[in-house]
Amino acid sequence: MKTLRLVAAGTALTLAMVAGTASAGATFDAVKKKGFVQCGVNTGLPGFSNIDDKGHWKGLDVDVCRAVAAAMFGDASKVKYTPLNAKERFTALQSGEIDMLSRNTTWTLTRDASLGITFTGVNYYDGQGFLVKKSLGVKKASELSGATVCVQSGTTTELNLADYFRSHNMKFTPVTFDTGDATEKAFESGRCDALTSDQSQLYAWKAVLKDPSSAEVLPDVISKEPLGPSVRQGDVQWFNIVKWSLFAMQDAEGLGITSNNVDDLRAHSKNPAIVRFLGKEGDFGKMLGVSNDWAYNIVKQVGNYAQSFDRNVGKDSPLKIRRGLNALWKDGGIMYAPPWQ
Amino acid sequence: MSDQTNQSLAPSKPRPWKNPRVHGWVAQITLLLGVVLFFAYIFHNTQVNMQAHGISTGFSFLSQPAGFGIIQSLIPYTPASTYGRTFLVGLLNTVMISVLGIFFATIVGLIIGLARLSHNWLIAKLAAIYIETFRNIPLLLQVFFWYFAVVETMPSPRQSLHIGDVIFLNIRGVYLPEPVFGPGSGFILGALILAIIAVIFIKRWAHNRQMRTGQQFHTVWVSLGILILLPLLTFFAVGAPLTWSLPKLQGFNFTGGLAVIPELTALVIALTIYTASSIAEIVRSGILSVSHGQTEAASSLGLKRGHVMRLVVLPQALRVIIPPLTSQYLNLTKNSSLATAIGYPDLVNVFAGTTLNQTGQAVVIIAMTMGVYLSISLLISLFMNWYNHRKRLIER
Ligand SMILES: N[C@@H](CCC(=O)N[C@@H](CS)C(=O)NCC(=O)O)C(=O)O
């Protein structure tokens, strides 16, 4: 039972804090020693983290976990997944149950400053929207006054919802559920007039309705939701690995390196940036505490950011989300990874 | 030397370090000191650790605005209210669901328990089937069943089932007319209290009279009459200061009136049905524990069957029933935290869930939540112990 797990994790954290066992600064070493990355992901969100019919975890968020494993061990499959709902995720990270969290989680000041965790970057720029039944005849969010809205608890979504209605002087009734499943089911049954979540997720929810054409996503986007991975505070080396594994995927896209051409480029490219990236020159991997071909391993086994995006949420996926803000800066988006030297 | 003689003469005063009472005290104080030091150490250690991990601590978050909405609240609450308020809202919702659950589960359990002992084969079998079914299905499944399978098949607000223009039933809940009391209502409440006091006195008087003279008095009817008539007369005397707020469909939903959300309904039904199946068995075993000779003796005195049950069997059965019944009440209270699965805003949902998540104050919040459940449980236990004590067999 989900709640029980949350309470259990909370209690575990309490005990850890009481007895003082969880020591800071040791995540990198601990991960190295146990030989795999324990990654917290969504319990099931198509495109972001989901189990496919062969029992493998797939998704944009899952790919970040795999990239980190590729960097650490040269093997992207050295990941163990912990499916978490919104409420459980931070406690799981704080208590050391997971090494990193990659679960469509919004980077906020509050979370950076009071939870003892820190975000390492952004792997998807999102924003909050509404899904409504077509039969209501609502065309924009400002017509939702008095509506009953289904929402998942423990999310920024829940807070933005209240903010939005308050700032527009509108009334609403929130119906709050623990799990995405229950939220979606309640919306479908008609318990709520609207369902609210990050836009990317709305399309996923809509797709799983019995009759997807009975609902529509309103055009309004009411918040900024930069989603990204996070780690516990106190271990900068680990923080760096997670941060740069994601950057490496984005840099690879910028350099035009894909999983298909990476071997070829490694053998023949004379471009200094590519030579550095693939670990044939310089000690960039060593500086991070891993092998010098770490970025090669990421691209070879996981792909660059564009490949991951297209495969999971973009044009080659059922979701067909456009790159939009998530395109590289030079293609009109805001994805921008710092240089290596 | 003289000491020794003294001692042999008055052996009642051993040296302090040999005095068993002193020993006892020293041991107690050392233990207490140890316990206090232990907890102080734990407290300190926790704080240091949390600080080292960059997790903020303390109770100050309780005065910060919560920023999220809650669907049902017994006290005024808006997203601008504080986390402290959230705690109270959750606490009251937990108390409410527990009280409702205990009330209904007791009634249903008593009825089913008696039904199972019925001489009517069909009734007894039906009761047995009820018990075996609901006791053996996990409660969470039952909660989901009542919520998703039953409650959520209700019609949409625009197609509400309704009784006249006053009661509406749809997927958003049951909408009832809400009484709005005007000035002068205080008198009615006063009349009701007066009536209750009067009834207590009448009962005493009737009891004493029956003891003295053997004559019975129609206490039940007279009491009912007083309880209804006195407030009713006052009501008209002060000019009937009562209006009704009726539910009305406005935009998406009904406004006005009293709304009972389906999350509450589903949870109360599930808790009632599940717990009643255990209570029924407790009632049955309690009644069976009273030897059949008692019933026969009472019958041979000429008591009617209802009287035998009410005056002879049940009072004795209660002594057997109360202790396990108490633990059922405690179970129900704790089980009410399954609320969060269907979005009923109980303490675990809004405080140990949402608030914990938004603030990250796991240690403080879990501690407060555990404190609440412990206190509620202790209160129920205390009350039931007191009741049990009153009902105990007094040997004469
Ligand atoms: N980005 C937001 C929301 C994250 C979130 O939990 N989203 C929900 C939908 S609003 C979700 O992923 N639900 C899927 C599930 O838990 O199964 C946050 O970090 O608070």
Side-chain angles (χ1 to χ4, degrees):
Chain A
M1 175 65 225
K2 290 283 158 200
T3 323
L4 287 189
R5 286 200 41 192
L6 174 69
V7 173
T11 314
L13 175 64
T14 309
L15 288 181
M17 290 298 147
V18 163
T21 49
S23 80
T27 313
F28 184 93
D29 297 337
V31 170
K32 190 105 233 173
K33 199 157 139 221
K34 70 183 171 187
F36 63 88
V37 177
Q38 190 81 45
C39 198
V41 294
N42 201 308
T43 48
L45 186 63
F48 287 82
S49 66
N50 211 1
I51 302 184
D52 69 6
D53 44 15
K54 291 186 205 66
H56 298 301
W57 284 94
K58 288 277 151 68
L60 196 69
D61 285 344
V62 167
D63 278 353
V64 179
C65 310
R66 300 182 64 234
V68 173
M72 286 292 283
F73 308 111
D75 183 352
S77 67
K78 293 263 161 59
V79 185
K80 288 197 179 161
Y81 298 95
T82 306
L84 298 165
N85 71 27
K87 275 185 184 177
E88 301 159 345
R89 56 187 159 171
F90 301 122
T91 320
L93 185 58
Q94 291 170 334
S95 66
E97 189 186 339
I98 56 176
D99 303 315
M100 59 179 285
L101 179 70
S102 182
R103 185 208 172 278
N104 56 308
T105 297
T106 307
W107 183 353
T108 70
L109 183 150
T110 315
R111 291 173 177 176
D112 253 356
S114 70
L115 298 183
I117 70 172
T118 184
F119 283 82
T120 66
V122 176
N123 70 333
Y124 189 97
Y125 287 99
D126 211 336
Q128 185 175 337
F130 293 95
L131 181 69
V132 297
K133 288 263 160 81
K134 271 193 186 142
S135 60
L136 285 179
V138 170
K139 287 285 166 247
K140 46 185 199 286
S142 56
E143 294 168 6
L144 282 173
S145 187
T148 305
V149 186
C150 282
V151 59
Q152 196 167 339
S153 60
T155 56
T156 50
T157 319
E158 200 181 6
L159 304 176
N160 298 330
L161 173 69
D163 264 10
Y164 179 81
F165 279 81
R166 253 211 289 171
S167 62
H168 288 74
N169 260 323
M170 309 194 305
K171 277 212 170 72
F172 76 108
T173 310
V175 189
T176 317
F177 296 93
D178 265 8
T179 62
D181 254 10
T183 319
E184 186 266 322
K185 236 170 144 176
F187 171 71
E188 179 147 39
S189 72
R191 176 69 184 90
C192 308
D193 300 303
L195 181 159
T196 185
S197 82
D198 298 342
Q199 285 238 323
S200 61
Q201 292 141 48
L202 286 184
Y203 288 101
W205 290 141
K206 182 172 175 219
V208 297
L209 291 179
K210 272 190 212 92
D211 175 12
S213 65
S214 69
E216 72 184 323
V217 176
L218 297 181
D220 313 64
V221 177
I222 65 166
S223 72
K224 292 189 286 188
E225 308 287 335
L227 312 180
S230 50
V231 295
R232 260 186 310 287
Q233 288 172 10
D235 187 343
V236 180
Q237 195 178 10
W238 178 242
F239 170 74
N240 273 337
I241 281 291
V242 177
K243 176 167 67 178
W244 280 95
S245 296
L246 177 56
F247 281 154
M249 292 175 75
Q250 294 163 351
D251 274 332
E253 182 185 355
L255 293 170
I257 311 173
T258 70
S259 57
N260 305 320
N261 68 11
V262 65
D263 284 321
D264 194 38
L265 287 173
R266 182 145 86 152
H268 304 116
S269 181
K270 301 270 180 293
N271 179 338
I274 294 181
V275 172
R276 271 197 300 276
F277 186 91
L278 296 177
K280 296 207 334 194
E281 249 174 40
D283 258 346
F284 298 95
K286 280 234 178 69
M287 293 181 208
L288 286 171
V290 294
S291 70
N292 279 334
D293 60 355
W294 66 285
Y296 164 82
N297 288 328
I298 293 178
V299 179
K300 176 76 187 157
Q301 299 178 28
V302 185
N304 69 23
Y305 183 73
Q307 289 181 297
S308 172
F309 191 97
D310 291 345
R311 168 172 80 225
N312 292 306
V313 297
K315 60 181 189 329
D316 303 330
S317 76
L319 293 176
K320 305 249 176 297
I321 299 177
R322 286 178 300 115
R323 284 294 288 272
L325 284 181
N326 294 301
L328 293 193
W329 84 103
K330 55 180 190 180
D331 303 328
I334 55 174
M335 277 298 175
Y336 188 106
W340 282 34
Q341 63 169 20
Chain B
M1 282 294 255
S2 63
D3 258 22
Q4 264 174 0
T5 11
N6 267 351
Q7 230 172 34
S8 57
L9 285 176
S12 57
K13 230 175 185 239
R15 301 276 164 86
W17 56 88
K18 285 193 182 150
N19 185 337
R21 278 193 50 194
V22 174
H23 275 197
W25 276 105
V26 170
Q28 295 285 340
I29 290 172
T30 322
L31 187 68
L32 187 72
L33 218 68
V35 170
V36 168
L37 278 178
F38 177 69
F39 279 104
Y41 167 75
I42 280 186
F43 185 74
H44 175 75
N45 202 24
T46 307
Q47 288 222 314
V48 170
N49 264 311
M50 305 257 297
Q51 224 145 46
H53 287 70
I55 306 174
S56 42
T57 45
F59 289 92
S60 59
F61 74 96
L62 287 173
S63 56
Q64 296 298 316
F68 56 89
I70 299 180
I71 184 170
Q72 173 196 291
S73 162
L74 297 175
I75 50 177
Y77 176 89
T78 71
S81 306
T82 61
Y83 285 122
R85 194 89 179 164
T86 310
F87 171 74
L88 282 183
V89 170
L91 173 60
L92 289 175
N93 283 341
T94 288
V95 170
M96 171 155 112
I97 198 86
S98 307
V99 170
L100 287 174
I102 287 176
F103 177 77
F104 288 116
T106 310
I107 296 179
V108 176
L110 183 64
I111 294 173
I112 304 280
L114 291 176
R116 188 158 188 194
L117 292 171
S118 164
H119 295 299
N120 182 322
W121 183 86
L122 186 64
I123 292 180
K125 269 286 164 289
L126 283 178
I129 291 174
Y130 171 100
I131 291 169
E132 290 312 326
T133 313
F134 290 109
R135 209 170 44 156
N136 292 316
I137 299 177
L139 178 55
L140 183 63
L141 283 186
Q142 297 193 37
V143 171
F144 276 136
F145 173 79
W146 291 108
Y147 189 57
F148 284 114
V150 177
V151 176
E152 300 253 302
T153 51
M154 295 288 150
S156 75
R158 285 171 206 183
Q159 275 109 40
S160 300
L161 307 169
H162 57 101
I163 304 176
D165 265 343
V166 282
I167 297 178
F168 296 87
L169 174 67
N170 61 46
I171 189 161
R172 307 280 162 81
V174 186
Y175 294 81
L176 308 164
E178 186 181 13
V180 182
F181 290 100
S185 309
F187 288 106
I188 308 173
L189 191 69
L192 185 67
I193 295 174
L194 222 66
I196 293 175
I197 296 174
V199 164
I200 294 174
F201 272 104
I202 290 177
K203 243 192 107 176
R204 282 228 184 124
W205 169 80
H207 182 77
N208 285 341
R209 193 178 76 143
Q210 189 177 357
M211 284 300 170
R212 269 198 331 270
T213 65
Q215 274 178 315
Q216 295 204 358
F217 186 72
H218 294 294
T219 328
V220 178
W221 297 115
V222 173
S223 307
L224 257 173
I226 294 179
L227 277 178
I228 294 173
L229 276 181
L230 202 58
L232 200 67
L233 286 176
T234 326
F235 173 72
F236 287 114
V238 293
L242 172 71
T243 50
W244 294 90
S245 148
L246 294 183
K248 241 198 327 281
L249 185 60
Q250 218 174 51
F252 298 105
N253 287 306
F254 280 87
T255 54
L258 197 72
V260 183
I261 56 173
E263 289 77 22
L264 173 69
T265 318
L267 195 60
V268 170
I269 294 178
L271 286 174
T272 299
I273 290 189
Y274 177 76
T275 315
S277 62
S278 300
I279 293 184
E281 285 296 84
I282 293 171
V283 169
R284 183 173 75 117
S285 69
I287 289 175
L288 288 180
S289 75
V290 180
S291 86
H292 195 61
Q294 298 267 347
T295 315
E296 284 170 348
S299 304
S300 62
L301 285 176
L303 286 182
K304 284 187 243 139
R305 276 217 4 220
H307 280 153
V308 175
M309 184 54 84
R310 202 157 55 82
L311 298 175
V312 178
V313 180
L314 270 186
Q316 299 187 69
L318 269 184
R319 284 181 294 119
V320 177
I321 291 175
I322 287 172
L325 187 64
T326 310
S327 51
Q328 285 306 319
Y329 287 177
L330 298 181
N331 281 346
L332 188 142
T333 308
K334 284 177 271 182
N335 286 338
S336 74
S337 61
L338 288 178
T340 128
I342 56 166
Y344 175 81
D346 78 326
L347 186 70
V348 171
N349 188 355
V350 299
F351 195 65
T354 306
T355 303
L356 191 163
N357 190 266
Q358 301 292 8
T359 62
Q361 300 282 353
V363 175
V364 174
I365 289 177
I366 294 288
M368 281 174 75
T369 309
M370 294 207 291
V372 164
Y373 278 94
L374 187 65
S375 313
I376 296 182
S377 296
L378 286 179
L379 278 178
I380 295 180
S381 287
L382 274 180
F383 174 77
M384 294 304 272
N385 279 346
W386 167 82
Y387 190 69
N388 200 17
H389 187 73
R390 263 185 47 136
K391 288 286 166 199
R392 77 192 189 282
L393 195 62
I394 301 168
E395 309 251 354
R396 275 185 271 235

